[in-house]
Amino acid sequence: MGAGLSPIASSTLNTAAPRLPSVDKLLQTPVLQGLQTEFGRSSVTNAVRQVLDTLRLQLRDGSLQAEQVQETVLTTAVQQRLTERFAPRLKSVFNLTGTVLHTNLGRALLPQEAVDAVVEALTNPANLEYDLETGGRGDRDDLVEQLICELTGAEAATIVNNNAAAVLLTLSTLAPGKEVVVSRGELVEIGGAFRIPDIMKRAGCQLVEVGTTNRTHAKDYAEAVTENTALLMKVHTSNYEVVGFTKSVSDAEVTAMAHERGLNMIVDLGSGTLVDLRDWGLPHEVTVRETVEAGADVVTFSGDKLLGGPQAGIIVGRKDLIARIKKNPMKRALRVGKLTLAALEPTLRLYLHPEKLAERLTTLRLFTRPQADMQAQAESLVPQLQAALGAAWVVETAAMNSQIGSGALPVENLPSWGLKLYPASGKQAGRQLTQLEARLRALPRPVIGRLHDDALWLDLRCLEAHMQPQFEQQLSQLSK
């Protein structure tokens, strides 16, 4: 009869296993009737079959007893399976890590003006590539180019999906098969193993390294130029800082050398800010305008870091070079969609009113949040969190240091305040902290903190007042 159970064995097995209700019978129950309205009949039917298959196996191997198989058990299992299947994988979380522009948590939070514009673009047709004046085809870059040029002082601009794409597109347009000269101290690697040498290789360029890790002189650039050199390039070391016995060459000086030799100079700014952060008491970060005014021919930077907008790569510079970049066939593959442009335009417009920028631009508002506000907030949360965790845990307020994140100002700290959690007993503290961190991550809206120095730290910089009620609701789930 071949492999498998004999008729006798199969009959014995079927007799030994209690009879489960049919799929059709379960579908008629009030609970599953309601689930069919919410999730659809086909999805509920599939979930019922999967639950019944699982229960049959458990009954046969003895891990489940017949008296445990009741209608409520079956319908609850079906409901749980459907809830898990339809639950979104992309979830809102509370970012209490102390890193404002957290790459793994989505970087910049959009200002309300951008959120409203995205909703409008999602629900209505828009003039993405339609010229309302002529009635003909338009250029999607036109929606934001004038604003970008006004804010940066550049002649022209174009947009792609992130700064890595901006660098790739620029290099593949201006230096295919040619040499690009870069200081060794600027061969950066950012998250996800993005490395400048790898991008150059993909762009079809030949990297020429000059200087050393900590010191590069003007003569290093000058001596590296050959007949095959197309560009001199500066890369902003946004996610690290070399200190001590160091030397670098300014953008203006490198630009002058490039232009004397008939070459172009490009700058990858990475994070890229449009304003002088010192105006709000923050550390200075070179602005896009400063880089353009230093003479750079092309500058690339991100939209979702210090700028505070959606993920995008922005390329600004000389009009003739931007025109060449836009004609590169890769531009279409790397272009942004209407949602990015819908979010970017109102974000840029906020910069036209600098007096209100720290209030309306979410990123800058989080950077400049007063430490005293966070301290008061922490003190108000201690009783509730202590009650949720119980006497086994110590909950106290503590001064902390936030970071800007996403590679911007890597050695600078923002004085912050938050909650410090640690076991009342020192026994197995590491294990208990790991378990608590996992419990917080498993909440309906996960709470993401930071394990450090035998404690779980919850930095409150990114927990604004309007978010606190929902956060408190999540805390109440811990005691269940």
Side-chain angles (χ1 to χ4, degrees):
M1 294 182 62
L5 295 170
S6 67
I8 296 176
S10 178
S11 175
T12 302
L13 186 57
N14 290 334
T15 301
R19 189 176 185 84
L20 294 172
S22 68
V23 173
D24 288 338
K25 182 178 179 180
L26 283 173
L27 290 174
Q28 299 308 312
T29 61
V31 173
L32 296 196
Q33 286 283 311
L35 292 178
Q36 290 175 64
T37 301
E38 182 178 358
F39 298 108
R41 183 178 177 85
S42 61
S43 293
V44 176
T45 301
N46 288 335
V48 170
R49 288 176 177 150
Q50 292 166 1
V51 167
L52 290 175
D53 288 344
T54 300
L55 291 177
R56 287 191 188 97
L57 292 174
Q58 292 175 337
L59 287 166
R60 289 172 182 173
D61 65 19
S63 61
L64 183 70
Q65 301 304 311
E67 57 270 18
Q68 295 175 289
V69 183
Q70 301 174 3
E71 183 179 294
T72 54
V73 174
L74 292 167
T75 56
T76 299
V78 171
Q79 186 172 22
Q80 182 178 355
R81 187 175 289 265
L82 287 166
T83 301
E84 291 174 355
R85 182 185 177 193
F86 282 86
R89 296 294 302 275
L90 185 66
K91 295 183 177 182
S92 296
V93 305
F94 289 104
N95 174 16
L96 306 188
T97 63
T99 301
V100 179
L101 299 174
H102 199 301
T103 298
N104 297 340
L105 301 181
R107 291 183 180 164
L109 301 180
L110 294 181
Q112 188 59 48
E113 290 83 352
V115 173
D116 295 340
V118 169
V119 171
E120 183 75 14
L122 279 167
T123 54
N124 292 286
N127 60 321
L128 178 64
E129 287 188 350
Y130 183 82
D131 190 321
L132 294 173
E133 291 186 6
T134 66
R137 185 181 180 90
D139 184 339
R140 63 183 65 192
D141 285 343
D142 290 346
L143 298 171
V144 293
E145 183 177 21
Q146 183 178 349
L147 259 176
I148 293 172
C149 291
E150 180 178 351
L151 293 169
T152 65
E155 294 179 359
T158 188
I159 315 297
V160 289
N161 56 18
N162 60 26
N163 188 52
V167 175
L168 176 66
L169 184 63
T170 298
L171 290 173
S172 68
T173 302
L174 303 182
K178 297 286 188 176
E179 297 174 349
V180 179
V181 180
V182 185
S183 167
R184 281 192 178 90
E186 298 175 3
L187 296 179
V188 303
E189 175 181 328
I190 64 174
F194 165 84
R195 294 177 170 182
I196 288 294
D198 294 337
I199 291 296
M200 284 198 179
K201 184 177 180 180
R202 293 293 182 183
C205 306
Q206 181 181 345
L207 169 65
V208 177
E209 302 177 26
V210 297
T212 63
T213 302
N214 59 317
R215 292 179 69 82
T216 300
H217 303 270
K219 67 176 183 179
D220 295 323
Y221 289 95
E223 293 173 356
V225 174
T226 70
E227 293 181 356
N228 197 40
T229 303
L231 301 171
L232 302 188
M233 183 176 183
K234 289 278 291 179
V235 182
H236 185 49
T237 55
S238 56
N239 61 355
Y240 66 95
E241 184 172 321
V242 180
V243 297
F245 186 59
T246 64
K247 169 67 179 176
S248 62
V249 187
S250 69
D251 292 350
E253 196 171 354
V254 175
T255 297
M257 284 189 290
H259 291 174
E260 287 172 3
R261 293 160 176 78
L263 305 174
N264 294 314
M265 203 282 273
I266 67 172
V267 179
D268 170 16
L269 267 186
S271 292
T273 178
L274 299 181
V275 292
D276 189 341
L277 296 176
R278 291 175 295 189
D279 292 343
W280 291 273
L282 297 167
H284 180 253
E285 176 86 343
V286 63
T287 69
V288 180
R289 179 177 289 275
E290 288 170 344
T291 308
V292 170
E293 290 177 349
D297 298 292
V298 174
V299 183
T300 69
F301 57 100
S302 295
D304 58 340
K305 296 181 181 178
L306 292 176
L307 193 150
Q311 177 180 300
I314 304 174
I315 310 173
V316 302
R318 278 175 27 204
K319 191 171 184 178
D320 60 322
L321 298 182
I322 298 299
R324 287 173 57 188
I325 290 170
K326 292 179 68 168
K327 290 179 181 178
N328 188 322
M330 288 177 60
K331 172 63 163 64
R332 182 176 180 84
L334 301 174
R335 71 182 183 180
V336 297
K338 67 174 183 178
L339 301 185
T340 299
L341 291 167
L344 183 58
E345 181 183 7
T347 302
L348 292 170
R349 289 196 184 282
L350 295 181
Y351 284 87
L352 300 178
H353 192 175
E355 295 82 6
K356 290 284 187 179
L357 192 61
E359 175 185 334
R360 298 166 66 188
L361 184 68
T362 308
T363 295
L364 188 56
R365 187 170 68 243
L366 293 176
F367 288 164
T368 57
R369 195 173 176 208
Q371 189 181 31
D373 287 357
M374 291 176 274
Q375 182 176 3
Q377 185 180 35
E379 291 170 352
S380 72
L381 288 169
V382 168
Q384 184 176 354
L385 186 53
Q386 186 70 73
L389 294 178
W393 289 89
V394 175
V395 179
E396 60 187 30
T397 67
M400 302 181 184
N401 285 311
S402 301
Q403 290 185 325
I404 287 177
S406 288
L409 299 168
V411 299
E412 303 290 348
N413 291 319
L414 304 175
S416 186
W417 209 278
L419 299 165
K420 180 181 178 182
L421 318 178
Y422 56 92
S425 171
K427 297 179 180 179
Q428 296 183 326
R431 181 180 178 184
Q432 293 181 68
L433 286 167
T434 301
Q435 291 174 342
L436 177 59
E437 184 195 30
R439 287 173 62 193
L440 290 170
R441 284 190 281 108
L443 290 171
R445 180 170 178 178
V447 175
I448 314 298
R450 180 171 59 95
L451 288 174
H452 173 68
D453 197 21
D454 296 325
L456 178 60
W457 302 74
L458 303 180
D459 190 310
L460 299 183
R461 177 170 293 278
C462 294
L463 187 71
E464 295 192 275
H466 70 275
M467 304 165 67
Q468 186 165 333
Q470 189 178 4
F471 178 68
E472 292 177 347
Q473 184 180 21
Q474 298 302 299
L475 293 183
S476 66
Q477 303 289 319
L478 285 173
S479 57
K480 295 182 179 180

